Amino acid sequence: MIIDTHAHLDFPDFKDDIDDVIKRAKDVGVEYIINVGTSVGTSVKSLELAKKYDHIYASVGIHPNAASNVTADDWSRLEALAGQSKVVAIGETGLDYYRDRSKKEDQKRLFHQHMELAQKHNLPVIIHNREASSDCLEIVRKYSGRVNGVIHCFAGSRDDAKEFLELGFHISFAGPVTYPKAENLREALKAVPVEKLLLETDCPFLAPQPKRGKRNEPSYLQYTIPILAELYKLTVEDIERITSLSAKNLFGLAQSDLKPEIAYIIRNSLYLNITSRCPNKCVFCSRETAPYVKGHYLGTDNEPTVEELKDAIGDPSGYDEVVFCGFGESTERLDVLKEIAGYLKERGSKVRLDTNGLGDLINGRSICEELEGLIDTICISLNTNIEEEYQKLCHSEYDCQAYPALISFIKKARDYIPDVMISIVGMPGIDVEACRKIAEDLGVRFRVREYNNVG
Ligand code: SF4
């Protein structure tokens, strides 16, 4: 499933073959298209397209290049469009100091008007920013917490990207990210967590590398996505799923297909989500607020049975590994964990358990010996080198018992599980080197997980 979050299918370039263009998009898996207005006229046409095609939605706005010519009547007409059904965003708006077709002051005034309109209708904004990052950020900052959105066809620096991200914005890259000489864009992309990335064509402009110079169209996302997958070290399917979920959430598109997943794939590993119970409430955990991992929805109160898990696993032989890891602590269901791990080992799978290391407290007995022969790798969340800090970070229901039990669990795991790793989340203030030293002293592997990057 793919979502093109920025297209201009109403432009004259598509007047002779729009049905073919839309069919080609469907054929490669483009599920939704957001058609973006750049004037009152193209906003009206965007809405007409949205009414004609179920899977097209509209954004209404006036491009900053036209800012100096916008009349009061234009603005009233745009305001009237904003409240219509199938309008999912305001824009494209923003600032363009590259083309210099409208005075900066007019552009800024119009940008503010769009932000007010977005706030009034509780819609995201689609922002065009060309060589105007500083002023653009200043305006976005003024509406921080009130207006969200996307910086479309990103062309700024890595530092600009970081600042927009800090303000909660998504970032989308069009075809130029595939151009051989666009190292600056790929450098900026490194600052963008994949969960904040959106796909767009900006068609008919900016076709990706194999079609460069030709008219762009939504089906050409098939050329951009593999490049993004390579840059993020994920699969094409991962990129499609993650960006689609983000687009659906940002633009409020239909979410009727959102089902909690008990077995989910990232790269070539299968993950099992066997419970949402956990004795901790870690400050960095989005279990209760946004239970998504790399585009998979894991929120569930229903714990799957062994049979349901086996059905969801299917044939495990093609995966690099099968991992017990969800928004919950798998040792809360030790019997199920052991039965499924045994089932997987009989079928030759490599099995990993990601755990908070509190399994002994949870089960009221030492459990590492019970995992022998069932788990190949165990990754235990250490989170900090300081006992008091652990409780501040993890808010464990076991309070001061938790950290000593965790250390004891790591030590015991070495005797029963071939590959033991401890991990921390690289949050500000955590002494990474002191944690690494604990791993070295215990003779186990060490991993720093990226803060705000789940999965
Ligand atoms: S231990 Fe894991 S599942 Fe539990 S709250 Fe912490 S991060 Fe979330």
Side-chain angles (χ1 to χ4, degrees):
M1 180 207 302
I2 299 167
I3 299 182
D4 184 352
T5 62
H6 199 111
H8 301 289
L9 294 176
D10 56 289
F11 278 26
D13 312 64
F14 298 105
K15 73 178 182 349
D16 294 329
D17 64 344
I18 183 141
D19 285 325
D20 292 340
V21 168
I22 287 173
K23 182 177 181 315
R24 280 198 291 275
K26 281 238 165 197
D27 288 348
V28 301
V30 177
E31 192 191 12
Y32 294 117
I33 297 169
I34 297 176
N35 205 77
V36 181
T38 54
S39 64
V40 175
T42 57
S43 295
V44 169
K45 284 183 188 164
S46 294
L47 201 48
E48 284 169 3
L49 276 175
K51 285 181 178 156
K52 185 169 175 195
Y53 298 95
D54 280 354
H55 70 300
I56 295 184
Y57 290 83
S59 178
V60 296
I62 301 173
H63 197 282
N65 285 341
S68 293
N69 301 318
V70 176
T71 64
D73 183 52
D74 289 335
W75 188 253
S76 308
R77 289 172 63 206
L78 196 85
E79 280 185 312
L81 292 174
Q84 303 226 12
S85 72
K86 292 204 84 179
V87 172
V88 295
I90 300 297
E92 62 185 273
T93 181
L95 302 172
D96 189 333
Y97 294 170
Y98 174 73
R99 291 202 186 88
D100 196 24
R101 288 190 191 150
S102 282
K103 286 188 210 137
K104 286 184 183 176
E105 288 319 305
D106 291 338
Q107 293 191 40
K108 287 188 201 170
R109 178 187 41 77
L110 188 64
F111 190 6
H112 273 290
Q113 284 179 269
H114 280 83
M115 296 297 268
E116 297 287 346
L117 190 61
Q119 186 183 340
K120 180 177 167 194
H121 290 278
N122 196 21
L123 289 173
V125 280
I126 296 178
I127 292 179
H128 170 104
N129 167 34
R130 194 94 190 263
E131 299 193 2
S133 292
S134 170
D135 286 355
C136 205
L137 276 161
E138 194 181 317
I139 292 175
V140 170
R141 226 174 261 122
K142 277 204 176 123
Y143 294 86
S144 178
R146 293 182 284 146
V147 179
N148 204 344
V150 56
I151 310 301
H152 109 88
C153 193
F154 190 79
S157 67
R158 187 176 175 149
D159 286 344
D160 294 340
K162 280 186 188 161
E163 290 202 55
F164 284 116
L165 289 164
E166 273 167 25
L167 291 165
F169 269 64
H170 287 69
I171 290 186
S172 63
F173 293 85
V177 77
T178 66
Y179 299 166
K181 289 189 179 158
E183 277 310 326
N184 56 332
L185 284 184
R186 290 188 283 274
E187 191 53 32
L189 180 134
K190 284 183 194 161
V192 183
V194 68
E195 288 81 3
K196 299 300 278 187
L197 176 78
L198 298 181
L199 302 179
E200 70 157 295
T201 53
D202 201 14
C203 66
F205 313 111
L206 302 172
Q209 185 59 26
K211 301 287 182 183
R212 194 170 175 178
K214 299 200 166 70
R215 181 192 72 173
N216 198 2
E217 61 176 66
S219 69
Y220 291 176
L221 281 173
Q222 66 182 300
Y223 303 110
T224 306
I225 294 168
I227 304 286
L228 294 170
E230 205 180 312
L231 292 167
Y232 279 100
K233 298 189 173 52
L234 290 166
T235 64
V236 162
E237 292 75 22
D238 289 334
I239 293 289
E240 292 180 4
R241 185 187 60 252
I242 296 164
T243 54
S244 292
L245 182 67
S246 299
K248 284 181 174 182
N249 283 341
L250 180 64
F251 296 109
L253 306 183
Q255 288 281 27
S256 55
D257 54 347
L258 198 62
K259 292 196 194 86
E261 296 179 63
I262 55 176
Y264 58 101
I265 301 165
I266 303 175
R267 300 177 194 91
N268 194 40
S269 296
L270 182 71
Y271 289 77
L272 301 179
N273 172 30
I274 69 171
T275 182
S276 57
R277 283 183 281 153
C278 180
N280 287 4
K281 279 191 166 54
C282 301
V283 292
F284 45 78
C285 183
S286 58
R287 182 164 57 117
E288 287 175 3
T289 51
Y292 301 105
V293 176
K294 293 276 183 282
H296 295 287
Y297 175 62
L298 305 187
T300 177
D301 292 332
N302 296 327
E303 296 186 329
T305 63
V306 166
E307 285 316 310
E308 284 169 337
L309 279 161
K310 287 179 182 172
D311 276 354
I313 290 167
D315 175 5
S317 63
Y319 299 109
D320 295 341
E321 62 178 347
V322 183
V323 188
F324 288 89
C325 174
F327 274 121
E329 168 53 37
S330 299
T331 60
E332 287 273 3
R333 298 187 76 199
L334 187 61
D335 288 345
V336 172
L337 164 64
K338 283 161 48 184
E339 190 168 343
I340 293 294
Y343 173 82
L344 291 164
K345 289 309 296 171
E346 279 166 21
R347 283 154 185 78
S349 297
K350 202 165 165 284
V351 181
R352 186 175 100 205
L353 168 63
D354 288 358
T355 173
N356 60 21
L358 302 182
D360 290 357
L361 290 176
I362 291 167
N363 291 282
R365 63 179 189 272
S366 172
I367 66 164
C368 282
E369 39 278 68
E370 298 176 42
L371 301 177
E372 188 172 24
L374 299 175
I375 302 293
D376 300 291
T377 296
I378 190 163
C379 183
I380 306 164
S381 304
L382 177 72
N383 290 331
T384 172
N385 59 316
I386 302 168
E387 189 173 333
E388 298 71 41
E389 195 169 56
Y390 184 85
Q391 192 54 12
K392 282 188 199 144
L393 282 174
C394 299
H395 300 278
S396 179
E397 67 183 42
Y398 295 112
D399 203 352
C400 57
Q401 283 180 284
Y403 195 76
L406 161 63
I407 297 294
S408 151
F409 185 86
I410 298 168
K411 288 178 181 165
K412 270 187 285 174
R414 298 174 304 181
D415 296 333
Y416 299 101
I417 294 163
D419 182 23
V420 180
M421 184 186 334
I422 59 175
S423 70
I424 62 166
V425 175
M427 290 179 67
I430 296 298
D431 188 340
V432 177
E433 291 316 310
C435 294
R436 193 189 307 278
K437 175 88 170 42
I438 290 178
E440 277 168 16
D441 291 347
L442 292 172
V444 299
R445 291 200 289 139
F446 179 64
R447 178 180 166 218
V448 181
R449 284 156 50 214
E450 221 176 291
Y451 182 40
N452 277 340
N453 185 1
V454 187

